[in-house]
Amino acid sequence: MDDSRFVRSAHLPIPPRTYLGPTSMNTPINTSPNPRSLFSGDGSYSSFVAREMAKGRTEMEVGPDGVAVITIINPPVNSLSVDVLFSLKDSYEQALNRDDVKAIVITGAGGKFSGGFDITAFGGLQGGQRDQPKVGYVSIDIITDTLEGARKPSVAAIDGLALGGGLEVAMACHGRVSTSTAQLGLPELQLGIIPGFGGTQRLPRLVGLTKSLEMILMSKPIKGEEAHAFGLVDAIVSPEELVKTARCWALDIAEFRRPWIRSLYRTDKLEPLGEAREILKFARSQTQKRAPNLQHPLVCLDVVEEGIVSGPRAGLWKEANAFQTLLFSDTCKSLVHVFFAQRATSKVPGVTDLGLVPRKITKVAILGGGLMGSGIATALILSNYPVMLKEVNEKFLKAGIDRVKANLQSRVKKGKMSQEKFERTLSLLTGVLDYESFKDVDMVIEAVIENVSLKQQIFADLEKFCSPHCILATNTSTIDLNLIGEKTMSQDRIVGAHFFSPAHIMPLLEIVRTHKTSPQVVTDLLDVGKKIRKTPIVVGNCTGFAVNRMFFPYTQSALFLVDRGVDVYKIDRACTKFGMPMGPFRLADLVGFGVAVATGMQYLENFPERVYKSLLMSIMLEDKRSGEATRKGFYKYDEKRKASPDPEIKKYIEKSRSMAGITPDLELMKLADKDIVEMVFLPVVNEACRVLDEGIVVKASDLDIASIMGMGFPPYRGGIMFWADSLGANYVHSKLNAWSNKYGQLFKPCTYLAERASKGLSLSAQVNQARARM
C-alpha cells in the first residue's frame, strides 16, 4: 500500500461546518424540535435568529412533473451557514408535506453545489461570542433523519464545488448526478477538525475504505469523472442537462425504476472487518509517522472505525462529539487563523484599496538561468506565460533551459503532466543572449548572483531596452532595492519579486516595494502571483525583507548553542519534533555555506549589535565543506543525497570554540527539547516584532503566512506570531530578557516586545493600529 495516499501536511484550508443537536431516530420526519431547545442559555435563540436572518437561504420550486428543486443560495460558493441549513430543513419539510411533490432535487445556485460550512462562524463559536448549538442536530436530525430518512427520494445535482458539508449533504441524498468537472471532497482535516455531517460514515460506504481515507486524510478532492468511477456519483452529464437529468433520476427512484439507496446503510463497498482493521492500522501508523504532532487525523480514524465496528448510527454520534471537541482545540484555532490570514495577504492598504485594475502581463523575461531563474521560468510557463530566458553565453543558456526541462520532466515522471502538455509548456520558453527582443516584454525578473554592481548595471541596461511600461523586478533576497535601482531613472517601476527555492514549488512570493514603487506595479505583481498560484505578501524594503530578516536568528541562535556545547543533531531533532521540515543545520546544508556566510555578512553590516559571530561555518568552508552540494556539511550525504550525522563535525566545533575562546556551558548542554526550541525561535519572534514595528509588513498575520510558506513553520501552530501570542508577550519577553542578561545582545528584547509585555497586549495588537494609520 502506498503510504503517501494517506497523510500529507497541508497549508490551504477549505470550508468545513459545525453541528447542532440530537433527536431520536423515531422522530417524525415533519416534526422539528422546539428551536429554543437547540441552544444553550436563556433567551439566546431570538438574538441568534436576529444575527443569522437574511443571509444564505434555500429556494424551492415545484415543477409539473412533481419534482421539488431546492436550490442553495449563499454566494460566492453557497456555503452552508446555519441559516442555510435551517432553510434547507424547512424546504425539505414543505416538500414532504405537499401532495404534489413526488421527489426532490437539491442543487446550488450559480453553478456551484456547495463549498461547505461557512467557517467565518468558527471564531465566534471558539471565542464564545456565538451561542453554542447542541451536538448532532445538523448531522443527525437534519442530514440523516430529515434528508436521508425522508419518505420521498432525493437526488443531488452537483456542479462546481461539492466540498465538506456540501458533499455530505449530497451523500445523504438517494442519488447523485454530477458534471465531469465538479470537485468533490472532504478537506476538513486542513482545519484541524474532521467531517461532521456524516462524511466519516457515508464516504467509506460509497467508495470503499481505502479511497475514502485517501480523500479524507489527504484532503484530496476528486473530479466528477473519478467520482463516478468510484461510485460516489451515479451519472455524469453536461451542466445544461444536470438538473433535468437529476429530476428524471429522482422520479425513477420514486416510481421504483431505480433502487432507493440510503448511503449510511450500504455495506457492499466496505472491506471485510479484518481487512478494514488492517487498513486502519496501517493508516494510523503512517499518520503517526508523518504527522506526529497532530491528533485529529487519529481521531478521524477512530470515528471511521466506530462506524464500521458498531454501526453507522454509533459512528455518527462519535463523529459529532469528536468534532465538537476538536473545534475548540489549539490546532483548529491555529489552522482557522491561517485560513483567514492567507486570504488577508491580498489586502494591502494604499494599493488594493485604490481601485486599480491589474494590467495584462503577456510576456515575461528572466535574467539568469541558475536554480532560481530556471525555477521562476518554470512557475511562469506552467501558468501559460511566454518567457524569455537570458544568459550571458550559450553554455549557461543551455544549462538554464535544461534545468527548466528537468523541472517539467519531474512532473511527467510523477504523473502530474502528460508528455503532450510537457511539449506544449516547454514551447513557451525561449532562450536569448542579448536585450534586443526586450522591447515588447511586460515584465523582467532579474535572478543573477547577489552582486550589487552587477545588478545595478543590469537595471541600467533594462531601462534602455525595455518599454516605459515594463515592470523591472529583482529576485534579490537581501540587497536594498534602492541600491539596485540607484543608477536608473525608473525607480517607480522597480519592485522585488522574491521567490523561495525551489521557485516552481514553494508557495510564497514576497513582493517588495520601496517608497517610490508605483501602486500599479504592486497591483500588477499581485495579479501575476495569484495566476502562478503563489500566495503573495507585500513587504517593505530592508535587508532580508520579511522572511529572511525574521529568520536570520534561527541559525544564529543554533550556532550560539553549539559553540556552548549543545549537540548539532539534538538541536535539529528538537526543531523537527516541533514541526519544522528541517532543523537550522540541515537547512544551512541545503542553502550552502557560501550563501549562508555571505548573507550573514549582510546582517552583520546592518544589525551588528545583535548578530552572533560564529566562526564555525567559515572554518568548515576552508576545508571545502559547504553543505549538501559538496556532500559534506553539518551532515554527510550519500549518492542519493540522503543525510546522516557526521562524527567529523566535532573537530570543527572544537576548533571554532578554541578560536573564539568559548568553553561548553553545562547548563545549556542539559537543555530539554522545549527549551532548545524556545532559545532558537524566540529570537525569531523578537526580530519579527521589529519587522512589524518598522512597518515592513502591514499586519502580524502576514508574518504568520510568511513563516509558514517561506520557512516551513508548522501551520498547525498558526504561524510565528500566532504561536508567540499563545505563549504570551510577557513570557516571551521575560525569557529573552533573562537570556540577554546572561548571554548578550543576541537575545535582547526589542522595544515593541517590551511595550506589549508591559501593557498586557498581544504581539498582534499592532494589526488594528496599523490599519487605522494606513
Side-chain angles (χ1 to χ4, degrees):
M1 190 180 297
D2 179 5
D3 62 3
S4 67
R5 291 182 304 172
F6 288 119
V7 188
R8 66 179 173 87
S9 64
H11 290 151
L12 310 177
I14 305 177
R17 47 214 140 350
T18 192
Y19 304 94
L20 304 177
T23 182
S24 166
M25 190 172 183
N26 298 318
T27 300
I29 294 300
N30 60 352
T31 302
S32 298
N34 179 352
R36 289 182 184 274
S37 72
L38 304 178
F39 298 85
S40 57
D42 294 330
S44 61
Y45 177 66
S46 59
S47 62
F48 180 86
V49 170
R51 288 195 302 271
E52 296 296 321
M53 284 293 285
K55 295 182 181 178
R57 66 190 190 281
T58 63
E59 291 184 354
M60 185 177 74
E61 182 179 348
V62 180
D65 57 357
V67 176
V69 176
I70 299 173
T71 303
I72 301 168
I73 304 171
N74 195 14
V77 295
N78 297 324
S79 56
L80 297 176
S81 53
V82 174
D83 50 306
V84 168
L85 290 164
F86 281 161
S87 180
L88 176 63
K89 188 175 191 294
D90 288 343
S91 293
Y92 237 82
E93 289 173 346
Q94 288 179 44
L96 294 174
N97 287 327
R98 285 179 57 160
D99 293 337
D100 60 338
V101 173
K102 300 176 184 176
I104 299 165
V105 166
I106 303 179
T107 192
K112 296 181 181 70
F113 187 79
S114 174
F117 190 78
D118 180 3
I119 65 168
T120 57
F122 275 29
L125 292 170
Q126 291 167 338
Q129 292 89 12
R130 289 194 174 201
D131 303 310
Q132 181 59 44
K134 289 185 179 178
V135 175
Y137 176 66
V138 172
S139 60
I140 294 174
D141 185 69
I142 296 180
I143 303 297
T144 300
D145 293 343
T146 302
L147 272 66
E148 189 173 49
R151 61 181 181 273
K152 296 177 183 179
S154 59
V155 171
I158 303 167
D159 194 9
L161 302 175
L163 299 174
L167 178 58
E168 288 173 296
V169 166
M171 289 192 293
C173 294
H174 307 107
R176 284 155 297 283
V177 179
S178 171
T179 62
S180 61
T181 57
Q183 295 183 57
L184 303 93
L186 298 177
E188 287 82 357
L189 266 68
Q190 293 190 52
L191 285 175
I193 53 173
I194 64 173
F197 288 0
T200 62
Q201 306 305 307
R202 290 187 178 89
L203 190 60
R205 288 167 168 78
L206 287 169
V207 303
L209 184 58
T210 300
K211 184 63 179 178
S212 67
L213 291 183
E214 176 188 340
M215 291 177 66
I216 296 172
L217 294 179
M218 294 179 64
S219 297
K220 183 180 179 182
I222 58 176
K223 292 289 183 70
E225 290 284 0
E226 187 179 357
H228 183 238
F230 277 96
L232 182 54
V233 300
D234 302 303
I236 298 293
V237 297
S238 68
E240 295 76 22
E241 295 293 315
L242 180 63
V243 174
K244 178 183 175 182
T245 303
R247 297 177 87 115
C248 293
W249 204 283
L251 284 172
D252 283 348
I253 296 173
E255 295 168 8
F256 305 105
R257 293 190 293 269
R258 292 187 188 276
W260 188 324
I261 299 171
R262 291 177 178 171
S263 304
L264 192 62
Y265 298 100
R266 281 185 64 171
T267 58
D268 57 302
K269 289 288 188 74
L270 285 179
E271 291 82 352
L273 183 58
E275 184 181 342
R277 281 183 158 148
E278 284 301 311
I279 292 170
L280 287 161
K281 180 181 178 182
F282 181 81
R284 281 192 187 92
S285 169
Q286 295 304 314
T287 297
Q288 290 170 321
K289 185 185 299 183
R290 299 185 62 183
N293 293 334
L294 298 180
Q295 289 302 309
H296 65 286
L298 298 174
V299 170
C300 186
L301 290 167
D302 290 343
V303 169
V304 171
E305 184 166 25
E306 177 74 9
I308 292 171
V309 173
S310 304
R313 195 82 178 182
L316 284 178
W317 279 111
K318 190 174 182 73
E319 176 192 82
N321 284 296
F323 176 88
Q324 191 69 16
T325 300
L326 292 170
L327 177 63
F328 293 91
S329 68
D330 290 340
T331 297
C332 180
K333 291 174 183 177
S334 297
L335 290 173
V336 168
H337 167 74
V338 171
F339 179 91
F340 289 112
Q342 185 181 346
R343 280 142 187 81
T345 61
S346 61
K347 297 176 182 177
V348 186
V351 177
T352 56
D353 52 2
L354 299 181
L356 297 171
V357 177
R359 293 175 295 183
K360 190 174 183 181
I361 305 296
T362 56
K363 195 173 186 181
V364 181
I366 295 173
L367 298 178
L371 288 175
M372 287 305 300
S374 59
I376 296 168
T378 305
L380 287 162
I381 63 176
L382 280 171
S383 296
N384 296 314
Y385 280 99
V387 171
M388 285 195 308
L389 182 64
K390 182 187 179 300
E391 262 295 0
V392 294
N393 59 45
E394 289 283 359
K395 179 184 175 183
F396 286 178
L397 182 59
K398 182 181 182 302
I401 292 174
D402 285 346
R403 289 188 186 99
V404 176
K405 284 182 181 177
N407 291 338
L408 297 179
Q409 284 165 345
S410 174
R411 294 176 67 85
V412 174
K413 186 177 179 181
K414 293 174 182 176
K416 295 180 179 179
M417 175 183 279
S418 66
Q419 187 62 33
E420 180 186 356
K421 180 73 183 295
F422 167 84
E423 300 291 346
R424 190 163 63 249
T425 303
L426 190 60
S427 70
L428 293 169
L429 182 67
T430 306
V432 298
L433 296 173
D434 55 44
Y435 292 110
E436 293 303 321
S437 52
F438 275 46
K439 59 182 179 298
D440 61 343
V441 167
D442 299 305
M443 179 167 70
V444 178
I445 302 175
E446 167 270 310
V448 304
I449 60 172
E450 295 285 75
N451 180 292
V452 173
S453 59
L454 175 60
K455 290 179 187 285
Q456 287 177 335
Q457 183 59 56
I458 285 172
F459 275 79
D461 291 339
L462 289 173
E463 192 174 40
K464 297 173 189 173
F465 287 96
C466 297
S467 68
H469 74 269
C470 181
I471 297 168
L472 306 179
T474 173
N475 181 57
T476 183
S477 58
T478 55
I479 301 175
D480 188 320
L481 267 64
N482 290 320
L483 197 58
I484 289 173
E486 192 174 62
K487 297 183 179 178
T488 72
M489 301 293 291
S490 306
Q491 294 181 20
D492 61 327
R493 54 188 174 123
I494 292 178
V495 66
H498 181 211
F499 291 78
F500 292 77
S501 184
H504 59 296
I505 295 173
M506 291 293 282
L508 186 68
L509 170 62
E510 268 187 319
I511 299 175
V512 188
R513 56 175 170 169
T514 71
H515 292 299
K516 296 180 181 179
T517 305
S518 160
Q520 181 65 61
V521 167
V522 177
T523 300
D524 297 340
L525 204 48
L526 279 167
D527 185 57
V528 171
K530 180 181 177 182
K531 286 176 177 172
I532 63 174
R533 295 182 287 279
K534 304 293 183 189
T535 296
I537 293 179
V538 177
V539 303
N541 181 35
C542 70
T543 298
F545 314 130
V547 177
N548 289 340
R549 160 92 182 268
M550 172 172 54
F551 268 86
F552 89 81
Y554 182 51
T555 304
Q556 299 258 309
S557 305
L559 286 167
F560 166 85
L561 290 174
V562 167
D563 278 348
R564 279 152 184 79
V566 184
D567 179 66
V568 164
Y569 308 115
K570 182 180 180 181
I571 294 170
D572 271 7
R573 282 194 301 271
C575 292
T576 53
K577 184 179 176 183
F578 175 74
M580 294 296 288
M582 58 184 70
F585 298 108
R586 178 66 184 87
L587 178 64
D589 276 3
L590 180 66
V591 171
F593 292 5
V595 173
V597 170
T599 303
M601 293 303 292
Q602 289 278 339
Y603 295 116
L604 180 60
E605 183 179 335
N606 288 274
F607 316 118
E609 75 287 353
R610 59 181 184 272
V611 171
Y612 178 68
K613 305 172 187 68
S614 173
L615 302 172
L616 181 55
M617 279 197 275
S618 296
I619 292 170
M620 293 168 73
L621 262 176
E622 289 174 3
D623 207 11
K624 296 185 169 48
R625 295 181 74 106
S626 61
E628 186 178 322
T630 59
R631 294 196 184 179
K632 282 188 177 182
F634 289 104
Y635 294 79
K636 57 184 178 181
Y637 299 86
D638 62 20
E639 62 280 357
K640 294 183 179 179
R641 295 205 168 184
K642 182 180 179 182
S644 58
D646 188 350
E648 285 190 9
I649 194 69
K650 291 179 181 177
K651 70 178 183 182
Y652 298 103
I653 294 170
E654 288 168 2
K655 184 176 181 181
S656 173
R657 285 181 193 146
S658 175
M659 290 176 67
I662 299 171
T663 56
D665 184 317
L666 293 177
E667 183 181 345
L668 290 177
M669 290 172 69
K670 296 176 183 177
L671 286 178
D673 286 353
K674 174 182 175 292
D675 300 314
I676 290 173
V677 165
E678 289 185 355
M679 285 199 83
V680 169
F681 278 106
L682 294 191
V684 175
V685 171
N686 199 24
E687 197 64 30
C689 287
R690 290 188 179 98
V691 168
L692 184 60
D693 191 36
E694 292 170 20
I696 302 302
V697 295
V698 175
K699 47 192 178 294
S701 62
D702 284 352
L703 292 175
D704 287 330
I705 297 302
S707 67
I708 291 167
M709 294 190 170
M711 291 299 296
F713 194 85
Y716 54 82
R717 299 192 188 278
I720 190 71
M721 297 297 281
F722 190 89
W723 172 71
D725 273 331
S726 74
L727 300 176
N730 190 57
Y731 180 86
V732 175
H733 179 268
S734 64
K735 284 282 188 177
L736 287 168
N737 198 48
W739 297 332
S740 176
N741 291 335
K742 195 167 186 179
Y743 302 117
Q745 294 289 301
L746 171 65
F747 299 102
K748 184 178 181 180
C750 68
T751 304
Y752 178 97
L753 177 55
E755 287 177 353
R756 294 302 178 278
S758 66
K759 295 177 181 177
L761 295 173
S762 76
L763 297 177
S764 302
Q766 179 74 10
V767 173
N768 292 331
Q769 296 174 15
R771 284 175 179 166
R773 287 199 303 266
M774 296 300 287

